[in-house]
Amino acid sequence: MPKTKRKTKPPETRELNLVATLVDLEAASDEESRELRRFSMTAYTGGQMTLAGWRHPVVVDLQGMDVGKQNRPILLDHTRDVDFVMGQTDQIAVSGDELRVSGQIMGDSAKAQQVIALADKGFAWQASIGARAADVEFVPAGKTAQANGREFSGPVNIARRSTLGEVSFVVLGADDNTSAQIAAGKPNKEIDMEFAEWVEAQGFAADDLNETQIASFEKLFSASKPATTDPLTDTAGAVATLRAEMAAETSRIASIRKICAGRHEVIEAQAIADGWDETRAELEVLRASRPAAPAIHANGGGSPTAKVLEAAVCVAGQLDGIEKAYDEQTLEAADKRFRGRIGLQELLLEAAWSNGYTGRSFRSDMRGVLQAAFSTFSLPGILSNTANKFLLQGFTTVESAWRAIAAIRSVSDFKQVTSYRLTGGFEYEEVGPDGELKHAQVGEESFTNQAKTYGKMFSLTRTDLINDDLGALTAVPTRLGRGAALKLNDVFWKEFLANAAFFAAGNNNYADGADTALAIDGLTKAEQLFLDQTDPDGHPLAVMPEILLVPNALYALAGQLMNSTEFREDGNSSKSKYPTSNPHAGKFRVHRSSYLSNALYTGNSNKAWYLLADPSSLPVIEVAFLNGQERPTVESADADFNVLGIQMRGYHDFGVAKQDHRGGVKLKGEA
């Protein structure tokens, strides 16, 4: 077995929330005055888990788990609130590769009673343990390591040392392949002593029967009494039949468990629940045990798939976050085949070979390679998909403050679209004795927008192909993506900053003067200005400001105003003292943009600032995207006949327009 290097993080511990496989909730004994319910759980079965916050699967080495004292809290959904406390354990044990716990349900909150009530109705609760991992070994791809008597292949995290904290009831755990069962509570029906003795005489325990079984035995018990016409013959036969059926069922379950041998838990659970016989269970195990055919033939003469070629290009181009774009198997196949060094010529040759091309040299037959590559194999798709990923990487690196203050809508074509906001007397009026309701007088306000197309074309030239320049396929789309984001910002902020008539005293959403500088008093003035606005009928807007938009020069001050709880002035200041409390702390979300103070844009200022409503409530500006496509697109094709190369184009369809002036206020920040 290959050895793996253990990597640990002593200063940091990681949370582990692992799904359990069995929860068993029992009814209280009639002799217990408090009628406490007991539970038992198989809290962990030693396998690998997919957990939130962990990039790769996690295995907890039970040999290194510190369970601490036997009394551990039992919670609901890991919530550490008294209403979510279910009870506590009184027994914790590691048995082989399983962690088992049992204890009492003590909670009497509505949450606890709901868990019990659902269990009594047959709801299958799952369980999850809360633990801290203190020593984590990472097993990389291609390596293996052992834990809990099993061998695990990387990439996987193995928590070699951990501490158990609590165990929780959960509706759905982190692993869909696990199962959990909660036994129904014992019947409340009082069992007759004579009947109980008769049941025990037949070899069964009356206390272990559920209501259905009790009903069946009661029929047999009635038939066994002397008053029946056919006393013991039929009854004895029925009991014998019941015993035989139970024995057969016990034997069937034992055989299935032997066949599955603890390695096929899902098959075992389904076989028992659905009544499979031993033959069917054995066939299912044989099917599951067959080695799967390799999904990707990376070497040995087979051609790589289009997905593998895409991944190889992205690896060679050092795409950020490549693990999120491709699965582990695809990345492994790309690495085995190309070792992170695929070039443009190799990419085109691979595509040509997949379409039957037999030549081995790109330089000796460039036209033939291109024609073969573009014939039936999805080379245009590979180029477009790869370029789109690098374009998106460039697109997301550019400032996107516009998204925080703009409403976003989808349009279906390039025609001008109009949005309407209904106005009028919608306020309720008192209904008279005749019960007649009056009609509202409806008016409307309209706002327009229109999507337009912006784009660029570029080519992988003959020079790029001869030089085998992969950067033309990776770096150029990245720059195009950045260019698309810059154009969107340019159009957006030109529209936003051309606001002399939009933010104006006549619209009651603009103020200037020394007292409009960004400070406690300035914020107070801006907030009052915003809240004093009215709708077209003269009523208050009843919308609150939520966004503080500032240029770079005011960003640090805006952060202080939102985060500091008090302000004090120097004792030598000639100004009157400000109160030591900050009434605006944490009130608004701060956003900044470099475009607000850029000299190339009309209306720029490094002192002016804005207080805006959330765009979902009352937008001051809107961005419309064609068919809801918010990101640019790249398409590729073989070049024209007179050009030896590959042509690609990037385009973006959007439009920007101001909307309702009541959605914000502007303060000049100076006289």
Side-chain angles (χ1 to χ4, degrees):
M1 181 186 72
K3 294 184 179 179
T4 60
K5 183 178 180 181
R6 180 178 299 181
K7 298 181 181 180
T8 62
K9 299 181 179 180
E12 178 184 0
T13 57
R14 299 286 300 277
E15 292 290 340
L16 300 168
N17 291 324
L18 308 178
V19 70
T21 58
L22 182 62
V23 180
D24 204 3
L25 190 61
E26 300 176 357
S29 169
D30 292 338
E31 298 177 358
E32 293 178 316
S33 59
R34 296 182 60 194
E35 298 185 354
L36 295 181
R37 308 285 289 273
R38 288 195 61 79
F39 68 89
S40 61
M41 299 180 182
T42 301
Y44 177 54
T45 59
Q48 65 181 31
M49 311 294 295
T50 301
L51 304 180
W54 295 76
R55 179 179 174 188
H56 297 292
V58 177
V59 175
V60 177
D61 189 346
L62 290 175
Q63 298 302 314
M65 172 174 274
D66 179 10
V67 300
K69 57 185 180 180
Q70 294 293 302
N71 301 119
R72 305 305 306 172
I74 301 298
L75 308 177
L76 176 61
D77 289 331
H78 300 289
T79 303
R80 300 178 182 181
D81 183 278
V82 66
D83 288 339
F84 289 76
V85 173
M86 297 297 302
Q88 68 180 16
T89 63
D90 53 24
Q91 185 175 359
I92 304 175
V94 175
S95 176
D97 59 356
E98 292 184 343
L99 174 66
R100 299 177 180 175
V101 301
S102 60
Q104 291 181 317
I105 299 293
M106 300 175 177
D108 57 2
S109 66
K111 293 288 185 183
Q113 294 305 313
Q114 186 178 23
V115 171
I116 295 173
L118 287 173
D120 287 342
K121 293 177 181 178
F123 183 82
W125 285 101
Q126 291 186 339
S128 176
I129 69 171
R132 285 187 175 273
D135 183 358
V136 179
E137 173 186 350
F138 176 67
V139 182
K143 302 293 184 179
T144 60
Q146 288 190 338
N148 302 326
R150 309 182 199 177
E151 186 175 90
F152 296 93
S153 300
V156 66
N157 296 291
I158 299 181
R160 294 296 185 183
R161 288 192 303 110
S162 60
T163 302
L164 178 65
E166 46 82 16
V167 183
S168 286
F169 284 85
V170 293
V171 173
L172 185 62
D175 191 340
D176 288 337
N177 292 326
T178 62
S179 62
Q181 298 175 349
I182 299 180
K186 298 252 176 104
N188 295 322
K189 181 177 179 179
E190 184 175 351
I191 298 177
D192 178 79
M193 182 63 69
E194 183 182 358
F195 171 67
E197 292 175 353
W198 180 86
V199 171
E200 291 175 1
Q202 312 310 313
F204 300 95
D207 289 339
D208 292 336
L209 302 179
N210 58 34
E211 291 181 352
T212 302
Q213 293 169 329
I214 288 175
S216 299
F217 272 98
E218 281 181 337
K219 292 180 181 179
L220 296 174
F221 175 64
S222 298
S224 69
K225 290 186 177 180
T228 56
T229 55
D230 190 10
L232 296 176
T233 306
D234 291 341
T235 302
V239 172
T241 300
L242 182 60
R243 284 179 173 169
E245 290 174 352
M246 289 186 172
E249 177 67 3
T250 301
S251 176
R252 183 184 73 87
I253 293 174
S255 298
I256 289 173
R257 286 176 173 164
K258 183 177 180 181
I259 291 169
C260 295
R263 295 189 294 272
H264 303 278
E265 297 174 356
V266 175
I267 294 176
E268 179 180 316
Q270 187 175 359
I272 293 174
D274 294 350
W276 294 0
D277 59 17
E278 294 89 336
T279 301
R280 181 174 178 183
E282 189 169 7
L283 286 173
E284 292 296 331
V285 168
L286 287 173
R287 290 191 185 100
S289 302
R290 286 183 301 188
I296 299 173
H297 302 282
N299 286 304
S303 297
T305 66
K307 208 69 173 175
V308 172
L309 288 175
E310 282 182 32
V313 173
C314 291
V315 170
Q318 299 180 341
L319 178 71
D320 292 338
I322 192 171
E323 297 85 356
K324 297 179 181 179
Y326 301 97
D327 58 56
E328 294 278 354
Q329 195 174 28
T330 301
L331 290 174
E332 183 179 356
D335 180 65
K336 287 182 179 179
R337 180 72 176 234
F338 303 106
R339 300 297 178 187
R341 294 186 296 272
I342 190 172
L344 267 180
Q345 294 179 11
E346 189 172 11
L347 172 65
L348 295 170
L349 277 170
E350 289 284 1
W353 292 334
S354 296
N355 292 326
Y357 182 75
T358 58
R360 308 306 298 176
S361 172
F362 178 84
R363 290 172 180 259
S364 63
D365 186 17
M366 292 177 60
R367 171 58 68 181
V369 172
L370 287 173
Q371 288 178 340
F374 277 91
S375 60
T376 58
F377 193 74
S378 56
L379 181 62
I382 295 174
L383 296 175
S384 296
N385 292 342
T386 304
N388 265 305
K389 289 180 173 61
F390 285 97
L391 180 141
L392 180 59
Q393 178 172 288
F395 184 76
T396 55
T397 59
V398 177
E399 174 196 307
S400 59
W402 62 268
R403 188 177 292 276
I405 67 171
I408 296 175
R409 69 176 299 174
S410 175
V411 294
S412 58
D413 52 39
F414 294 102
K415 298 176 183 177
Q416 186 178 80
V417 293
T418 304
S419 301
Y420 296 95
R421 182 171 295 114
L422 295 181
T423 63
F426 285 94
E427 184 177 344
Y428 283 15
E429 297 183 22
E430 182 179 350
V431 179
D434 58 358
E436 181 181 357
L437 296 175
K438 296 181 179 180
H439 287 277
Q441 299 300 315
V442 179
E444 64 183 28
E445 289 184 327
S446 62
F447 309 95
T448 61
N449 203 346
Q450 185 175 10
K452 299 178 181 179
T453 299
Y454 304 86
K456 281 279 188 178
M457 179 178 287
F458 69 100
S459 298
L460 301 179
T461 65
R462 180 172 180 271
T463 301
D464 295 326
L465 298 178
I466 293 176
N467 292 340
D468 203 14
D469 184 8
L470 187 68
L473 185 59
T474 58
V476 172
T478 301
R479 290 195 290 270
L480 275 180
R482 177 175 172 81
L486 290 173
K487 185 59 179 179
L488 175 55
N489 271 284
D490 179 69
V491 174
F492 180 89
W493 292 108
K494 279 182 178 177
E495 174 69 13
F496 181 86
L497 287 169
N499 57 37
F502 187 82
F503 292 107
N507 286 335
N508 299 316
N509 64 354
Y510 175 78
D512 57 15
D515 60 347
T516 62
L518 183 61
I520 294 288
D521 289 346
L523 276 172
T524 302
K525 184 181 183 69
E527 185 177 36
Q528 182 177 352
L529 185 62
F530 185 102
L531 296 175
D532 283 346
Q533 293 186 106
T534 59
D535 65 19
D537 304 309
H539 296 96
L541 285 177
V543 175
M544 300 297 293
E546 295 189 22
I547 298 171
L548 177 58
L549 178 66
V550 298
N552 291 334
L554 300 179
Y555 184 67
L557 177 57
Q560 287 180 331
L561 288 169
M562 290 302 101
N563 296 321
S564 300
T565 57
E566 65 175 48
F567 284 85
R568 302 186 182 203
E569 289 191 356
D570 191 314
N572 297 323
S573 174
S574 59
K575 298 180 181 179
S576 60
K577 296 283 193 299
Y578 281 104
T580 57
S581 62
N582 176 13
H584 300 294
K587 188 179 289 185
F588 310 115
R589 304 194 303 270
V590 178
H591 291 280
R592 66 172 171 183
S593 173
S594 300
Y595 289 85
L596 292 175
S597 56
N598 190 280
L600 294 178
Y601 293 85
T602 302
N604 75 86
S605 170
N606 62 2
K607 295 182 179 179
W609 51 281
Y610 303 81
L611 199 57
L612 309 173
D614 188 287
S616 63
S617 300
L618 193 62
V620 296
I621 194 167
E622 176 188 83
V623 182
F625 292 100
L626 183 66
N627 297 322
Q629 182 63 39
E630 298 182 18
R631 296 167 177 172
T633 301
V634 167
E635 295 177 344
S636 61
D638 194 1
D640 295 336
F641 184 78
N642 60 339
V643 178
L644 188 58
I646 301 171
Q647 290 182 338
M648 305 187 78
R649 62 187 181 191
Y651 60 90
H652 201 190
D653 305 308
F654 65 89
V656 181
K658 287 190 282 292
Q659 299 291 297
D660 197 327
H661 66 267
R662 302 176 187 87
V665 296
K666 175 182 178 180
L667 278 79
K668 187 176 181 181
E670 58 185 341

